């Protein structure tokens, strides 16, 4: 029991140190994050995750190591879906490049808290009610199919339910006020568009977490492995965004692969409930996930080679949580004012 407490305490202190280094040293001043810097930072977080996996193999054995690697790969893959949505949100709101890191930093802090709560709730549910595995599995399959159906849809962000609610409840400034989320004018408190962006990013991560947590619970029931795999994927999300934001529209087949991963993992969860935990081994789920992600990225880059990386017409399509699909008329008019 003591080892477990120290593992949790040590890991969370390590994460806090990384966040303090990020905000207090590497990005103390508001500035645009260059692609080269983002690639190195993304590699740094991937290497950290792999070193952690190596530690699990050494200390806790092969099963724990494989579960962590599979969960991390699934979470890392699904985090790319977050990037599709973040690109759309940042483009819609024309967020200045120097403030994008600030939004993602605070968004990730909220994501860590939300995912921690969802992880413990999900594990407790399955521990007490084993049949919940079939509910989670069916939910993943339905979600995967829904993502497939809307993969080519253009979202109507102007009519997003969260955005409309915030605009009704808050006074919002017409333009950005530097890096601030709130300002005071004549004694009244106003939210800035940057706060609206932050809330949409937080809501997006909450919705995606509801999908991704059951996906990793299908791989492991160990809360520490589930939590650490999620944290490493989230910590690398900012760097991955700045590294891929300009080329993510080229990943035209990736959304289909992510949808299929949810269907496969959901099917694994249901099958293992009825036929035993080893009926579909975790190693097979790891292999299928790697093949789907690697294959879809390779095919996408081959299919779109020579395309401009950041032309507006090539913005990602798909599902933005809370946003309906645009009608044909709205698409012809462009972005709503």
């Amino acid at each position: 029991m003591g080892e477990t407490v120290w593992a949790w305490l040590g890991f969370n202190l390590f994460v806090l140190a990384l966040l303090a280094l990020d905000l207090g040293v590497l990005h103390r001043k508001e500035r645009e994050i260059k692609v080269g810097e983002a690639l190195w930072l993304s590699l740094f977080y991937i290497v950290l995750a792999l070193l952690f996996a190596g530690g699990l193999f050494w200390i806790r054995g092969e099963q724990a190591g494989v579960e962590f690697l599979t969960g991390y790969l699934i979470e890392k893959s699904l985090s790319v879906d977050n990037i599709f949505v973040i690109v759309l949100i940042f483009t819609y709101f024309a967020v200045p490049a120097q403030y994008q890191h600030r939004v993602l930093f605070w968004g990730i802090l909220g994501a860590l808290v939300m995912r921690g709560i969802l992880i413990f709730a999900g594990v407790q549910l399955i521990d007490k009610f084993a049949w919940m595995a079939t509910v989670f599995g069916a939910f993943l399959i339905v979600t995967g199919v829904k993502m497939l159906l809307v993969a080519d849809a253009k979202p109507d962000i102007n009519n997003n339910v969260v955005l409309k609610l915030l605009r009704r409840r808050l006074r919002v400034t017409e333009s950005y006020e530097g890096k601030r989320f709130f300002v005071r004018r004549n004694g009244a408190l106003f939210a800035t568009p940057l706060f609206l962006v932050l809330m949409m990013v937080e809501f997006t991560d909450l919705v995606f977490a509801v999908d991704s947590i059951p996906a990793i619970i299908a791989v492991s029931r160990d809360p520490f492995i589930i939590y650490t795999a999620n944290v490493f994927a989230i910590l690398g999300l900012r760097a991955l965004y700045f590294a891929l934001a300009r080329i993510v529209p080229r990943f035209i087949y990736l959304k289909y692969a992510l949808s299929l991963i949810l269907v496969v993992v959901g099917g694994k969860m249901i099958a293992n409930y009825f036929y035993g935990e080893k009926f579909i081994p975790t190693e097979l789920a790891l292999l299928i996930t790697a093949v789907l992600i690697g294959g879809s990225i390779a095919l996408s880059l081959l299919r779109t080679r020579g395309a401009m990386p950041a032309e507006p017409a090539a913005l990602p399509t798909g599902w933005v949580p809370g946003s309906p699909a645009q009608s044909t008329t709205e698409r012809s008019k462009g972005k709503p004012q």
Side-chain angles (χ1 to χ4, degrees):
M1 179 67 179
E3 270 186 35
T4 303
V5 171
W6 282 111
W8 281 96
L9 181 61
F11 181 77
N12 282 297
L13 287 175
F14 175 68
V15 170
L16 290 175
L18 284 176
L19 292 173
L21 175 67
D22 189 313
L23 188 63
V25 179
L26 298 179
H27 303 104
R28 183 169 53 185
K29 295 182 179 179
E30 308 294 337
R31 60 183 175 85
E32 181 179 356
I33 308 300
K34 302 298 184 183
V35 173
E37 177 187 351
L39 285 171
W40 280 111
L41 193 57
S42 185
L43 178 62
F44 168 73
Y45 281 117
I46 291 172
V47 170
L48 275 184
L50 293 178
L51 289 174
F52 185 83
L56 285 177
F57 273 101
W58 181 43
I59 297 171
R60 300 181 60 176
E62 180 181 349
Q63 184 63 29
V66 170
E67 287 181 2
F68 174 84
L69 280 177
T70 306
Y72 174 69
L73 182 57
I74 288 174
E75 293 300 328
K76 193 74 171 176
S77 303
L78 294 176
S79 72
V80 178
D81 213 16
N82 289 56
I83 293 176
F84 279 97
V85 177
I86 291 169
V87 168
L88 284 164
I89 293 172
F90 281 4
T91 302
Y92 176 85
F93 283 95
V95 180
Q98 66 268 31
Y99 304 137
Q100 292 178 4
H101 181 273
R102 178 178 175 81
V103 171
L104 292 178
F105 180 87
W106 291 109
I108 282 168
L109 281 182
L112 290 174
V113 175
M114 289 187 293
R115 293 197 178 214
I117 294 170
L118 288 173
I119 286 168
F120 285 106
V123 171
Q124 290 297 318
L125 276 174
I126 288 187
D127 282 346
K128 291 184 178 180
F129 309 102
W131 54 267
M132 284 297 297
T134 62
V135 176
F136 284 167
F139 175 75
L140 289 175
I141 292 172
V142 170
T143 301
V145 171
K146 181 177 70 174
M147 285 176 61
L148 276 174
L149 294 176
V150 300
D152 296 321
K154 291 184 178 292
D156 181 5
I157 297 179
N158 193 55
N159 286 310
N160 181 278
V161 293
V162 174
L163 187 57
K164 290 167 72 174
L165 177 64
L166 290 172
R167 282 173 170 165
R168 282 201 303 266
R169 300 291 183 182
L170 300 173
R171 302 182 185 92
V172 182
T173 61
E174 294 181 359
S175 59
Y176 291 101
E177 298 285 338
K179 65 180 183 180
R180 289 179 290 182
F181 294 121
F182 292 94
V183 294
R184 283 199 175 274
R185 289 182 176 176
N186 300 321
L189 187 65
F190 283 76
T192 70
L194 203 63
F195 178 74
L196 301 185
V197 173
L198 174 62
M199 289 298 99
M200 288 196 66
V201 169
E202 292 281 21
F203 178 70
T204 294
D205 189 78
L206 174 61
V207 172
F208 282 142
V210 173
D211 295 332
S212 64
I213 298 303
I216 195 173
I217 289 176
V219 171
S220 176
R221 301 290 173 82
D222 186 327
F224 186 70
I225 290 176
I226 298 172
Y227 178 71
T228 52
N230 261 274
V231 169
F232 275 115
I234 293 171
L235 285 176
L237 178 61
R238 287 163 302 153
L240 195 63
Y241 167 79
F242 291 109
L244 299 182
R246 288 177 60 84
I247 66 169
V248 76
R250 291 185 59 189
F251 297 156
I252 55 176
Y253 299 125
L254 185 56
K255 282 186 171 291
Y256 303 104
L258 296 175
S259 303
L260 291 175
I261 287 172
L262 290 180
V263 173
V264 168
V265 173
K268 173 186 182 299
M269 211 169 191
I270 294 173
N272 285 4
Y273 172 76
F274 285 108
Y275 301 107
E277 286 297 320
K278 299 296 183 180
F279 182 73
I280 299 179
T282 301
E283 292 82 356
L284 180 59
L286 176 60
L287 177 62
I288 292 173
T289 300
V291 169
L292 285 172
I293 293 301
S296 67
I297 290 176
L299 287 174
S300 295
L301 294 178
L302 283 173
R303 177 71 174 80
T304 60
R305 63 184 182 277
M308 293 297 291
E311 55 187 80
L315 282 174
T317 56
W319 177 51
V320 173
S323 298
Q326 284 187 11
S327 66
T328 305
T329 304
E330 287 172 329
R331 292 183 196 180
S332 64
K333 291 180 180 177
K335 186 183 79 172
Q337 300 299 316

